[in-house]
Amino acid sequence: MKKSFPLSKVYGLLEPGPVVLVTTAQKGRANVMTLSWLTMMDFEPPILGMVMSDQNYSFAALKATRQCVINIPTVELGTKVVGVGNCSGRRIDKFTAFGLTPRPARMVAPPLIDECYANLECRVTDAHMAKRYNFFVLEVLKAWIDPARKNPRTLHHLGRGRFVVCGKTMVLPSKKK
Ligand SMILES: Cc1cc2nc3c(=O)[nH]c(=O)nc-3n(C[C@H](O)[C@H](O)[C@H](O)COP(=O)(O)O)c2cc1C
């Protein structure tokens, strides 16, 4: 069972830039794609910037519905993450093909992916740069986290199928002088 996660802490989930699974839904059909080009833009409400290519099937659904869920997977899901990013929802149902479990979100139509340790329900607040840069500004409306997952080891894409696995936490003093 996931528990609600404070919006004020969402930036900490994404700041290191983990590879994510983005779910969208259009006309009652959900889809999922892998995405690594994501950045934090503000603390609270959490605002994210995301680059999603218009070549992807997910792009049209995101542009039309202005909703998505950012699902954060851990290293255990690595093979599925790569598989989901190398095929299109135009042709297959990726939830069935990769054994991912969709769960209803609270504030948006696209589903949460149960296997991911955190899920962020988002709405598009600005698509002005979608035409030129495939860039969308998202606001996180609701965040979920699995409290049983203590040190989630996230994947960070280096390109060409190479990833850094993150998971060691360090606390360093940082006082402004
Ligand atoms: C590790 C990884 C990272 C990716 N990052 C992005 C990304 O940041 N933006 C993007 O548009 N596509 C990215 N992709 C490609 C999409 O996931 C891929 O084109 C996918 O097939 C699109 O699915 P769809 O057609 O069902 O939307 C990535 C793929 C992989 C494997």
Side-chain angles (χ1 to χ4, degrees):
M1 271 294 280
K2 300 255 168 79
K3 71 164 189 179
S4 182
F5 189 66
L7 296 183
S8 61
K9 291 187 178 171
V10 163
Y11 80 95
L13 295 173
L14 286 175
E15 200 149 74
V19 175
V20 299
L21 295 174
V22 182
T23 48
T24 47
Q26 200 176 18
K27 293 177 187 153
R29 186 169 174 261
N31 187 32
V32 52
M33 68 167 273
T34 304
L35 186 136
S36 53
W37 286 11
L38 194 68
T39 183
M40 285 307 306
M41 294 174 72
D42 207 348
F43 288 99
E44 194 174 1
I47 304 292
L48 323 179
M50 177 174 84
V51 178
M52 181 186 283
S53 164
D54 57 8
Q55 303 298 302
N56 296 326
Y57 186 56
S58 306
F59 180 93
L62 182 68
K63 210 160 172 232
T65 66
R66 298 179 77 94
Q67 294 186 342
C68 67
V69 177
I70 305 289
N71 303 273
I72 309 179
T74 44
V75 65
E76 297 78 13
L77 292 175
T79 309
K80 294 185 184 198
V81 165
V82 173
V84 164
N86 280 286
C87 62
S88 181
R90 274 184 200 98
R91 285 174 287 279
I92 58 163
D93 175 347
K94 294 196 225 178
F95 292 93
T96 306
F98 293 97
L100 297 170
T101 314
R103 298 267 184 235
R106 186 176 294 175
M107 306 193 57
V108 296
L112 314 178
I113 295 177
D114 198 40
E115 288 79 6
C116 290
Y117 94 95
N119 320 85
L120 313 177
E121 301 183 23
C122 300
R123 73 180 177 103
V124 173
T125 56
D126 192 340
H128 282 99
M129 283 193 280
K131 200 167 179 197
R132 186 154 184 192
Y133 297 110
N134 295 329
F135 186 82
F136 294 88
V137 178
L138 310 176
E139 177 185 348
V140 180
L141 303 171
K142 181 79 199 148
W144 303 95
I145 193 153
D146 181 352
R149 303 288 294 274
K150 292 303 173 207
N151 290 303
R153 298 172 68 215
T154 48
L155 291 164
H156 301 258
H157 195 212
L158 299 176
R160 295 166 190 254
R162 292 178 68 236
F163 297 85
V164 166
V165 179
C166 181
K168 197 171 168 188
T169 306
M170 285 196 324
V171 182
L172 300 171
S174 64
K175 268 203 181 138
K176 250 191 194 158
K177 286 184 186 144

